């Protein structure tokens, strides 16, 4: 509560309103039996009367200050007595006003405080809202990270399981494959020896040879052996892929220059390009990284081969290396056939292929991804059907 309420100066109007004055004037007039006028400090009538007031006056004083006057044509002592009576009423009014002022003041202060509190609450509510929004965003981000991790773990586990299976299968196939290939080589040699016999035959022998149709038979036999050999080689390639996929032969890590790796790959592939196909290199200024160069080469080769298969007879394949923040990025971009959504969704799955029986094993991308993941990297496919495909591999530097 401010001090103002205690030492406040009142005006006459505050203590005697015009309605009060209108009552007081006639009452005093009746008591003193002459017209008594109520005047303010400047001498103007406030009781509603209009006649000029009498000369005799008695001050209406509050705290030594005359706030107004009584004027009437009576003895000064009589007028002073009436003034004291009026003053008594004014004092009561003043006290009452003081108390109500104090009360108002207190209420106002309380109100101001309330308003301040309200503003404070509003500020803290805003802060709270912001905090809640931030927390919400953080939780969402964390959830995303968790989700991603979970998927990676799931994928890694699945890969490990498939890898183990693949390694087992590869191992089991390798032995029989070895002797089948070697036996086939022997068979080829035996066949050549049989064919050489023809020159040493006499007439009867030659007739018997022709009658038995041995020329056609031997020729057919050679073809059979060739075809079988090609089939076995394909099996051998699958086994190699499977082994790469399961990373059974785990070599040592080395610091390697990826650009050099790309150069050598392009050199190998460049010789086998179809006339309408262009293979572009865009090698950026990238740091050497600790990696398994053989494996990375395998991954890149798989992706490049896919790109070359996608462009077919005519098109452009670009391989780029660049720095992307903390990552070394290698991109293989082709303007080939592209993938449908469903193909893209399964492209990394083991044994998924669209190439038809005997043409693809469906392990190319699986192996590539496995290798990139083993390097703590990431691999990503962008493709639009009929327009082309971009494979992006990010490796940590
Ligand atoms: N650059 C590409 N453009 C269009 N389709 C692609 C591309 N790369 C991969 N694909 C699709 O993804 C499938 C899976 O590819 P992946 O390399 O894993 O196996 P593949 O090429 O079929 O067989 P493999 O590589 O073992 O010979 C392919 O059959 C093909 O349909
Ligand atoms: Mg492939």
């Amino acid at each position: 509560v401010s001090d103002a309420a205690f030492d406040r100066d009142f005006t006459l109007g505050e203590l005697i309103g015009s309605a009060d004055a209108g009552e007081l004037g006639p009452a005093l007039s009746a008591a003193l039996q002459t017209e008594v006028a109520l005047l303010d400090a400047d001498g103007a009538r406030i009781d509603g009367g209009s006649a000029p007031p009498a000369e005799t006056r008695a001050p209406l004083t509050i705290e030594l200050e005359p706030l107004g006057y009584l004027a009437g044509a009576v003895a000064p002592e009589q007028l002073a007595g009436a003034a004291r009576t009026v003053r008594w009423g004014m004092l009561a009014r003043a006290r009452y006003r003081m108390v109500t002022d104090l009360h108002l003041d207190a209420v106002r202060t309380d109100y101001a405080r309330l308003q301040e509190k309200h503003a404070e609450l509003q500020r803290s509510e805003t802060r709270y809202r912001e905090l809640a929004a931030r927390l919400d965003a953080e939780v969402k981000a964390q959830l995303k990270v968790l989700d991603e991790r979970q998927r990676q773990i799931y994928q890694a586990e699945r890969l490990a399981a498939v890898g183990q299976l693949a390694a087992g299968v590869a191992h089991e196939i390798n032995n029989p494959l070895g002797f089948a290939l070697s036996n086939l080589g022997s068979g080829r040699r035996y066949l050549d020896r049989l064919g050489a016999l023809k020159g040493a035959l006499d007439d009867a022998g030659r007739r018997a040879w022709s009658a038995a149709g041995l020329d056609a038979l031997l020729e057919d036999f050679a073809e059979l052996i060739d075809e079988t050999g090609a089939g076995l080689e394909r099996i051998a390639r699958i086994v190699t892929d499977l082994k790469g996929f399961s990373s059974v032969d785990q070599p040592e890590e080395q610091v390697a220059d990826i650009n050099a790796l790309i150069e050598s790959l392009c050199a190998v592939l460049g010789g086998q390009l179809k006339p309408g196909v262009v293979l572009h290199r865009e090698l950026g200024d990238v740091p050497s990284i600790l990696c398994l160069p053989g494996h990375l080469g395998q991954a890149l080769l798989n992706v490049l081969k896919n790109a070359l298969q996608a462009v077919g007879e005519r098109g452009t394949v670009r391989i780029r290396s660049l720095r992307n923040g903390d990552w070394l990025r290698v991109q293989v971009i082709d303007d080939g056939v592209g993938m449908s959504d469903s193909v893209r969704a399964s492209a990394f799955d083991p044994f998924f292929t669209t190439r038809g029986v005997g043409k693809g094993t469906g392990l190319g991308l699986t192996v590539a991804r496995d290798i990139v993941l083993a390097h703590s990297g990431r691999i990503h496919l962008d493709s639009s059907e009929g327009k082309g495909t971009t494979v992006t591999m990010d490796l940590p530097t």
Side-chain angles (χ1 to χ4, degrees), residues 302 305-306 309 355 364-365:
N302 289 357
K305 268 189 172 170
N306 283 345
Q309 282 168 316
R355 304 206 194 282
L365 284 178

Side-chain angles (χ1 to χ4, degrees), residues 16 19 39 58 69 96 146 148 154 162 168 285 296 303 372 379 389:
I16 304 173
L39 312 178
Y69 303 92
Y96 170 76
L146 276 179
E148 180 86 355
Y154 171 71
V162 177
D285 183 18
L296 275 188
V303 173
V372 171
I379 183 167
T389 302

Side-chain angles (χ1 to χ4, degrees), residues 325-384:
D326 286 340
W327 302 93
L328 191 173
R329 172 166 284 188
V330 179
Q331 277 183 316
V332 175
I333 303 155
D334 70 64
D335 57 2
V337 292
M339 297 180 222
S340 68
D341 285 347
S342 71
V343 168
R344 197 182 47 224
S346 312
F348 287 111
D349 289 353
F351 304 109
F352 173 83
T353 180
T354 58
R355 304 206 194 282
V357 183
K359 296 240 177 69
T361 62
L363 283 174
L365 284 178
T366 316
V367 170
R369 182 188 53 185
D370 195 26
I371 290 169
V372 171
L373 287 183
H375 283 80
S376 305
R378 53 192 192 192
I379 183 167
H380 176 76
L381 271 182
D382 278 306
S383 187
S384 89

Side-chain angles (χ1 to χ4, degrees), residues 6 121 124 270 344:
F6 291 108
L121 272 175
S124 72
R344 197 182 47 224

Side-chain angles (χ1 to χ4, degrees), residues 25-26 28-37 54 71-74 79:
L28 289 170
S29 303
L32 296 181
Q33 291 186 332
T34 179
E35 175 155 19
V36 176
V74 289
L79 204 58

Side-chain angles (χ1 to χ4, degrees), residues 124-190:
S124 72
E125 194 197 329
T126 319
R127 271 203 308 274
Y128 170 75
R129 267 183 215 281
E130 281 166 5
L131 191 74
R134 237 189 3 248
L135 275 177
D136 196 49
E138 260 168 43
V139 166
K140 282 205 181 114
Q142 283 297 321
L143 272 180
K144 225 178 115 188
V145 170
L146 276 179
D147 202 48
E148 180 86 355
R149 290 261 160 81
Q150 207 176 24
R151 256 193 22 232
Q152 278 174 2
I153 290 172
Y154 171 71
Q155 226 154 42
E157 272 173 3
R158 213 176 54 155
L159 273 178
V162 177
Q164 247 171 359
L165 187 75
V169 171
H171 184 74
E172 287 307 319
I173 292 176
N174 239 352
N175 282 336
L177 191 65
F179 62 72
L181 271 170
S182 132
N183 290 355
L184 207 63
S186 306
R188 186 82 165 106
R189 278 197 310 279
Y190 297 161

Side-chain angles (χ1 to χ4, degrees), residues 114-128:
L114 264 179
Q115 271 185 321
E116 239 168 65
K117 273 215 182 108
H118 177 67
E120 216 169 87
L121 272 175
Q122 267 182 330
R123 279 194 299 272
S124 72
E125 194 197 329
T126 319
R127 271 203 308 274
Y128 170 75

